[in-house]
Amino acid sequence: MNGNNDICEMESMTETEEMEGDMEMGIIDEEVVYPEEFLPTYHSIKEGATVAKALLAEFNDKPDSLFFNDGVRRIDFILVYEDEDKKEFEKRHTFQRRKRRREYFEASLMKMGMELEATQSVNDDQVMFVKVHMPWDVLCTYAEVLHIKLPIQPNDLSAQTSPWRFFSFITKYFYPSEDMITEEAEFFTAPFEKDRLEYFYIRDRDVFFTPSMRSRMAFYILSRAPYEIRGSRKKFGITKLLDGGVYKAAYPLHDCRFNIKSKDDGCPNDRFKLYEEWAHPKSFYKMQPLDLIRKYYGEKIGIYFAWLGFYTVMLALAAVVGLGCFIYGYKTQETSTWSKEVCDPEIGGKIVMCPQCDRECKYWKLNSTCEASKKLCIFDNFGTLVFAVFMSIWVTLFLEFWKRYQAELEYQWDTVEFLEQEQPPRPEYEAKCIYERKNPVTGVKEKVPYTACGRCFRVSIGIGTVLFWVLLILASIVAITVYRLAAFFAFSARLRAQDLKELEPLKEYVTPQMATSVTASLISFIVIMILNTLYERVAIWITDFELPRTKTDYENSLTLKMFLFQFVNYYSSCFYIAFAKGKAVGFPGDPVYLLGKYRNEECDPGGCLIELTTQLSIIMGGKAIWNNIQEVLLPWLKNVIFRHCKRAHSEKVIPRWEQDYQLQPFSKLGLFYEYLEMVIQFGFVTLFVASFPLAPILALVNNLFEIRVDAWKITTQFRRVVPEKAQDIGAWQPILQGIAILAVATNAMIIAFTSDMIPRLVYYWSFSVYPYGENSDHTMEGYINTSLSIFNIEDFSNFSRPLGVVPNITTCRYRDFRFPPGHPRQYEYNVYYWHVIAAKMAFIIVVEHIVYLTKFILSYVIPDVPYAVKEQIKREKYLTQVILHETNLKLVTKRLKPAHDETIEESKAAMAMEEMDLDF
């Protein structure tokens, strides 16, 4: 953009400025141009020049056609608008301004070489469809601008044989039908260059650029074409025209209906193939046709489904092991010695427990938690320890093998060298470029939207806003904690006092702890969803304010903000139960109070693990149900309502572009939320798996549905997505690695501090035998009596003393390791407590170091890029260099040849003159 004072705008202006600008429409300075590297075909429209308009054509009654009316030019994009001339008179001035902008925008497109054809809607006379076509020369130009890699010669390296080839008679049923989806030939590729056209493998110009490539290039131009220029002010981009109501929609076409093959000869029917072999529920057991997904929707959609499919396959192994641990716990719950003691009328039935809240709560018998203790045995056993260690290794294998698989896809999909320099700046970024700076890489002067101080200010505002919202979440956590304390007080007063005859089958399960945990989990889930909705808009606003340069930078910045918020939002309640609840409660004579008023919660005699399991199951289950409602029902209902409104015209033949217009638009951040949903689930599966071994199998079942639901949704309910290039899963990769590292620590700490495994082990190996115990052999008998301390009821303070008086009770028991009353150090921690603390610390340190060492070894041993892929990459680079060398050699030879011929002629003339001189 020439001139230091040029200001590019994408924001809408005030009504007065718009009206004043209307007088200046068409007065455009010839010097106002775009950078040639961004829009090589851009030419400004001269002052007074007639603005070209799209040719109006009638619908030719071919509903499956993907071409202009001539049947030759392919439709690369569709623009939809409502005819301003048919609007009511009161708002005519607004509609006329929109019309001028639209006409100028379309004239700019045609000036840049694109061809347009307009057709009136079949169902609505006010709606117009503008078909956009990119001719061969324009395609070649922008394929070079976008560094699109295209075939140079067939791949001559032998394909790697599959280790499953001997089982092909079985595995073939788990792959898409070869009759429906044929395997495409592999080629070596190179970035397209218009000057070296003869070196590319072009069999047919009409199919050399795939429809997704053509749509991507068309959207690139649409995002940068100007719609209004006043002096040095430029406004451009289809995005702002859509936001301003100039256009109602802009989208590439689906190639056919999803459930019916197209009758058009030139239609590849890829959408129909994807529906039959991928999105249809009957194909739930089949592998995904990733190459066809990438070809139809682009690399960005393809890499998401590749990652989701790989994650689901890896979950199968974790699910099998987790199910085995659950079955082990279920089978051994009846044989658990400490659980038997809790349920034994002679042991648990005679142990009177101290009230768990002040004044209102009653004394209660330990065996009232019998059923809860049995259920706790299912999750709190040695199998859980083994499973937690296994999951720490599993997550490392998952990430390392994903890197290898991703490297294969990068090569197959030509994204190996997809560098940041190849990504064009976002139109919103370009629109704000008013400051000059020297590019640190190229040394060339370039324009940027902010100075170093300006960037620092924008980033500081973003960080401050994110921290504010994180603190808001923490405040909500404190509020929910206060609710838990107040609710526990209420439930304890009522449930202990009532007989609960109406809940006779559930009486053993409806404890104050369980009732508090379930209701608090439901409230926490509702708060999570509300805060998610609010923060989503804030995060988008912050990221827009920061003005990232490329689309990848924008998405990575938004990803980090959203995940940080979601991490605190979703996991905070789980961290509270796992590491805070029941850890600082004091003892009955001197309890600890929150805010000086609410007595801290205590865990069940068996620990807080069962509550953590309840919390996880509610959040995971509720989140899955909520997401499916949002993802499936809402788009489906919107489409049904839209079709119902147009039912009166259903007998008419509707063209392909109008059928697509009736579908829902795909959100700009639609794929972002799909990733977020899965990464949050990944956190539940890894961070807290020690408390819930069934998490992987629940995630597996959910993902099997998720893949097909997402496939069905994107294939049948949404307009075709604008294809985008992507090399990997972006910022989600380091987030997954961070979760994997954190998971080792959280699971070790859950086993050490949340479960009762370490105290039981300390009792079994140390305190059940001499010198601390009376047994001759190691045993778990007597563990319950040892793990419960004694309290003299006379030592209650007046504030916490129970209102009811129970006769013949002088002491009660509570969960802790303290000296009994009458001891010189009464109510202080005993030696058992310090043994347990030491064992917990030792366990965490040993487990973490062993697992981290194993993870490091696995990461080092497993290469990120397979050897076969490295060979193919080297082969492709070699071929590209050979072609470039031959081309440059020919150009040099071509340039030197005339000069060489002239030198020879001059030498011959000089020799002739010398001979003449001698003769003379």
Side-chain angles (χ1 to χ4, degrees):
M1 302 176 189
N2 295 343
N4 295 335
N5 298 323
D6 291 354
I7 301 175
C8 302
E9 292 190 340
M10 293 197 61
E11 288 82 19
S12 58
M13 303 180 69
T14 63
E15 189 72 10
T16 305
E17 291 174 320
E18 297 288 5
M19 293 301 293
E20 292 174 356
D22 291 344
M23 302 295 293
E24 300 175 3
M25 286 299 297
I27 304 177
I28 299 160
D29 187 0
E30 178 66 23
E31 296 300 319
V32 178
V33 294
Y34 281 71
E36 188 174 350
E37 66 269 22
F38 293 155
L39 288 177
T41 60
Y42 174 76
H43 301 286
S44 58
I45 301 174
K46 294 182 180 180
E47 178 183 352
T50 303
V51 177
K53 296 184 178 180
L55 180 66
L56 187 62
E58 293 292 331
F59 174 48
N60 57 8
D61 292 329
K62 295 182 179 179
D64 295 328
S65 177
L66 302 175
F67 296 87
F68 281 21
N69 276 11
D70 58 15
V72 176
R73 291 173 292 174
R74 174 181 289 274
I75 300 172
D76 297 318
F77 226 86
I78 291 291
L79 305 176
V80 186
Y81 69 91
E82 291 186 356
D83 193 349
E84 296 84 356
D85 295 332
K86 298 179 181 179
K87 293 290 183 178
E88 58 269 21
F89 183 78
E90 289 76 10
K91 298 181 180 180
R92 183 63 58 88
H93 67 282
T94 302
F95 295 125
Q96 289 303 315
R97 183 170 65 252
R98 291 180 181 176
K99 180 179 179 181
R100 285 193 293 272
R101 288 183 167 182
R102 176 179 52 76
E103 289 179 346
Y104 187 86
F105 181 73
E106 293 174 5
S108 299
L109 293 178
M110 289 186 281
K111 193 75 174 176
M112 285 188 280
M114 304 180 83
E115 298 175 2
L116 309 181
E117 183 179 85
T119 301
Q120 193 176 47
S121 169
V122 173
N123 287 330
D124 190 346
D125 294 340
Q126 292 184 349
V127 177
M128 299 292 293
F129 294 89
V130 179
K131 295 168 275 187
V132 180
H133 169 75
M134 296 183 69
W136 173 257
D137 287 341
V138 179
L139 287 170
C140 291
T141 299
Y142 286 95
E144 186 169 355
V145 170
L146 295 177
H147 302 274
I148 293 178
K149 298 182 77 173
L150 290 159
I152 51 178
Q153 84 171 45
N155 190 336
D156 56 0
L157 293 179
S158 58
Q160 190 175 7
T161 56
S162 171
W164 304 102
R165 63 187 183 278
F166 300 111
F167 304 96
S168 59
F169 63 95
I170 297 176
T171 57
K172 66 179 181 180
Y173 297 105
F174 295 93
Y175 285 87
S177 170
E178 294 181 359
D179 298 331
M180 181 76 72
I181 301 177
T182 57
E183 187 174 352
E184 296 188 3
E186 294 187 4
F187 292 90
F188 291 116
T189 59
F192 185 79
E193 294 187 34
K194 196 174 181 180
D195 295 335
R196 298 183 171 95
L197 197 61
E198 65 274 14
Y199 291 100
F200 287 88
Y201 194 81
I202 304 176
R203 289 180 294 180
D204 185 353
R205 285 190 172 190
D206 293 335
V207 296
F208 180 62
F209 295 105
T210 64
S212 62
M213 291 179 186
R214 299 173 70 106
S215 299
R216 182 181 161 211
M217 289 185 274
F219 186 74
Y220 176 86
I221 298 175
L222 290 170
S223 299
R224 287 158 178 80
Y227 60 83
E228 185 173 296
I229 298 181
R230 295 196 293 252
S232 61
R233 291 182 177 270
K234 307 187 244 328
K235 296 185 178 183
F236 56 89
I238 186 65
T239 304
K240 294 306 294 183
L241 292 177
L242 289 169
D243 294 340
V246 177
Y247 286 102
K248 296 299 178 184
Y251 51 89
L253 281 180
H254 280 299
D255 61 0
C256 64
R257 297 177 67 181
F258 69 86
N259 55 353
I260 299 175
K261 272 191 175 183
S262 172
K263 298 177 182 178
D264 192 76
D265 295 335
C267 178
N269 288 299
D270 287 340
R271 187 189 185 195
F272 174 77
K273 295 174 184 176
L274 286 172
Y275 176 73
E276 287 293 320
E277 296 296 319
W278 179 48
H280 197 287
K282 69 179 182 182
S283 302
F284 77 95
Y285 61 92
K286 292 185 178 181
M287 302 296 287
Q288 301 182 87
L290 293 175
D291 288 333
L292 185 58
I293 296 170
R294 173 249 181 173
K295 176 186 173 184
Y296 192 74
Y297 290 113
E299 288 79 7
K300 192 170 186 179
I301 297 286
I303 200 74
Y304 163 72
F305 280 104
W307 177 81
L308 180 56
F310 185 83
Y311 171 46
T312 304
V313 170
M314 289 293 290
L315 271 176
L317 176 61
V320 170
V321 179
L323 184 61
C325 290
F326 175 79
I327 294 173
Y328 169 78
Y330 184 80
K331 292 292 186 182
T332 58
Q333 64 174 328
E334 298 294 340
T335 61
S336 172
T337 303
W338 68 270
S339 179
K340 286 181 178 179
E341 290 185 349
V342 171
C343 299
D344 191 341
E346 296 300 319
I347 301 177
K350 293 183 177 181
I351 294 178
V352 178
M353 301 296 295
C354 297
Q356 292 184 313
C357 67
D358 295 328
R359 300 178 68 82
E360 296 292 338
C361 294
K362 309 294 183 182
Y363 296 99
W364 52 286
K365 295 291 183 67
L366 178 62
N367 64 352
S368 64
T369 61
C370 175
E371 292 300 322
S373 67
K374 290 181 180 179
K375 298 300 175 284
L376 182 62
C377 292
I378 299 175
F379 302 103
D380 192 2
N381 54 66
F382 296 113
T384 303
L385 171 61
V386 174
F387 185 56
V389 175
F390 165 80
M391 286 300 294
S392 299
I393 306 301
W394 173 88
V395 74
T396 303
L397 293 174
F398 164 66
L399 292 175
E400 292 303 316
F401 284 126
W402 164 247
K403 289 179 187 176
R404 289 172 60 84
Y405 186 49
Q406 184 173 257
E408 295 178 17
L409 293 177
E410 285 177 15
Y411 172 73
Q412 293 174 10
W413 295 354
D414 300 321
T415 60
V416 173
E417 296 177 354
F418 180 60
L419 305 176
E420 185 179 355
Q421 291 87 336
E422 297 179 7
Q423 298 185 62
R426 296 166 59 240
E428 294 84 356
Y429 179 91
E430 295 173 9
K432 296 290 186 180
C433 289
I434 57 176
Y435 301 102
E436 279 195 352
R437 73 157 189 173
K438 187 177 181 181
N439 191 301
V441 179
T442 63
V444 179
K445 283 188 176 181
E446 64 178 5
K447 287 192 174 182
V448 294
Y450 34 63
T451 60
C453 292
R455 176 173 175 76
C456 182
F457 172 74
R458 290 171 182 267
V459 173
S460 300
I461 291 293
I463 293 174
T465 308
V466 171
L467 289 178
F468 168 78
W469 276 86
V470 169
L471 292 175
L472 185 63
I473 302 173
L474 296 177
S476 70
I477 297 168
V478 172
I480 292 174
T481 303
V482 171
Y483 163 79
R484 296 177 70 101
L485 301 178
F488 179 76
F489 178 85
F491 283 127
S492 296
R494 286 168 174 78
L495 295 181
R496 300 293 183 196
Q498 297 175 6
D499 196 23
L500 296 179
K501 292 182 179 179
E502 66 277 8
L503 296 176
E504 190 64 35
L506 304 174
K507 183 178 178 180
E508 296 295 333
Y509 302 96
V510 184
T511 62
Q513 290 90 347
M514 184 59 65
T516 303
S517 179
V518 171
T519 55
S521 298
L522 292 173
I523 294 173
S524 177
F525 173 73
I526 294 171
V527 171
I528 284 172
M529 290 304 167
I530 294 173
L531 289 177
N532 277 351
T533 304
L534 296 175
Y535 181 74
E536 172 188 318
R537 301 183 181 184
V538 175
I540 294 173
W541 176 83
I542 296 171
T543 311
D544 289 340
F545 180 73
E546 288 178 358
L547 271 182
R549 181 177 182 274
T550 64
K551 185 75 179 292
T552 300
D553 292 339
Y554 181 90
E555 291 177 350
N556 289 347
S557 177
L558 182 61
T559 296
L560 291 175
K561 291 182 182 66
M562 286 294 290
F563 182 76
L564 176 63
F565 178 86
Q566 301 282 8
F567 183 88
V568 179
N569 203 2
Y570 276 108
Y571 301 141
S572 55
S573 57
C574 295
F575 274 102
Y576 165 76
I577 294 174
F579 306 122
K581 183 180 178 182
K583 303 301 183 291
V585 295
F587 62 96
D590 186 21
V592 177
Y593 293 91
L594 179 65
L595 304 177
K597 181 179 180 182
Y598 298 100
R599 179 170 167 175
N600 280 0
E601 284 185 282
E602 296 181 28
C603 294
D604 274 326
C608 285
L609 198 70
I610 194 68
E611 291 188 49
L612 182 57
T613 303
T614 304
Q615 180 82 0
L616 282 171
S617 58
I618 288 177
I619 292 182
M620 284 188 70
K623 185 171 174 293
I625 295 170
W626 177 262
N627 286 333
N628 284 327
I629 291 174
Q630 280 189 314
E631 293 179 8
V632 179
L633 287 183
L634 291 182
W636 179 77
L637 284 175
K638 288 179 180 178
N639 288 333
V640 168
I641 293 171
F642 187 89
R643 285 193 294 267
H644 178 75
C645 295
K646 303 293 182 181
R647 182 172 293 178
H649 306 282
S650 60
E651 69 276 1
K652 294 183 179 180
V653 177
I654 301 177
R656 171 82 267 133
W657 49 85
E658 194 157 355
Q659 294 175 39
D660 285 3
Y661 180 56
Q662 296 174 0
L663 299 176
Q664 292 298 306
F666 194 76
S667 169
K668 296 176 184 177
L669 300 174
L671 206 57
F672 168 81
Y673 295 115
E674 302 297 341
Y675 272 119
L676 183 63
E677 177 187 352
M678 288 297 102
V679 172
I680 292 293
Q681 181 206 86
F682 179 81
F684 283 125
V685 167
T686 54
L687 291 174
F688 306 102
V689 74
S691 66
F692 194 32
L694 290 180
I697 197 168
L698 293 180
L700 175 64
V701 173
N702 176 77
N703 288 6
L704 289 174
F705 284 101
E706 183 74 21
I707 292 175
R708 305 304 161 178
V709 165
D710 287 347
W712 175 84
K713 176 181 65 177
I714 199 174
T715 306
T716 67
Q717 301 301 307
F718 286 94
R719 298 170 191 156
R720 190 170 181 177
V721 182
V722 178
E724 291 185 51
K725 199 84 169 175
Q727 185 179 22
D728 48 36
I729 60 175
W732 299 111
Q733 185 79 24
I735 286 174
L736 291 173
Q737 292 172 339
I739 291 175
I741 293 172
L742 183 61
V744 178
T746 56
N747 283 301
M749 292 174 69
I750 285 173
I751 292 173
F753 293 109
T754 309
S755 80
D756 240 17
M757 187 176 299
I758 301 300
R760 290 201 297 267
L761 287 173
V762 171
Y763 176 81
Y764 181 82
W765 291 107
S766 298
F767 284 80
S768 63
V769 294
Y770 180 83
Y772 300 106
E774 300 177 355
N775 300 302
S776 57
D777 297 323
H778 296 287
T779 179
M780 284 300 297
E781 292 180 4
Y783 168 73
I784 289 297
N785 186 58
T786 306
S787 65
L788 297 176
S789 299
I790 302 173
F791 180 75
N792 190 336
I793 62 174
E794 298 296 329
D795 294 333
F796 274 118
S797 64
N798 292 330
F799 181 75
S800 59
R801 186 182 302 277
L803 294 177
V805 178
V806 179
N808 302 325
I809 293 180
T810 57
T811 61
C812 61
R813 310 295 289 270
Y814 61 98
R815 175 186 166 84
D816 211 339
F817 305 109
R818 295 176 184 267
F819 288 111
H823 193 278
R825 298 172 59 191
Q826 68 174 4
Y827 303 136
E828 292 183 15
Y829 290 120
N830 58 23
V831 66
Y832 193 174
Y833 172 83
W834 299 113
H835 274 71
V836 169
I837 290 296
K840 289 179 176 182
M841 294 296 129
F843 173 82
I844 292 173
I845 293 172
V846 171
V847 169
E848 281 190 353
H849 280 69
I850 291 175
V851 173
Y852 281 135
L853 177 63
T854 307
K855 287 166 70 72
F856 173 77
I857 294 173
L858 288 174
S859 301
Y860 181 78
V861 169
I862 302 173
D864 291 346
V865 182
Y867 179 75
V869 174
K870 287 182 179 179
E871 282 188 334
Q872 291 178 325
I873 293 173
K874 290 177 182 177
R875 171 69 174 163
E876 187 171 285
K877 285 183 177 179
Y878 169 76
L879 288 174
T880 305
Q881 290 172 355
V882 167
I883 289 174
L884 291 175
H885 176 70
E886 290 178 355
T887 305
N888 293 333
L889 191 62
K890 286 184 178 180
L891 289 174
V892 171
T893 305
K894 187 176 180 181
R895 290 172 181 170
L896 291 178
K897 189 174 182 181
H900 183 62
D901 293 342
E902 290 175 7
T903 305
I904 293 173
E905 293 296 333
E906 290 175 0
S907 300
K908 288 181 178 179
M911 291 176 65
M913 290 296 292
E914 289 177 3
E915 290 176 359
M916 289 175 66
D917 290 340
L918 290 173
D919 292 340
F920 178 75

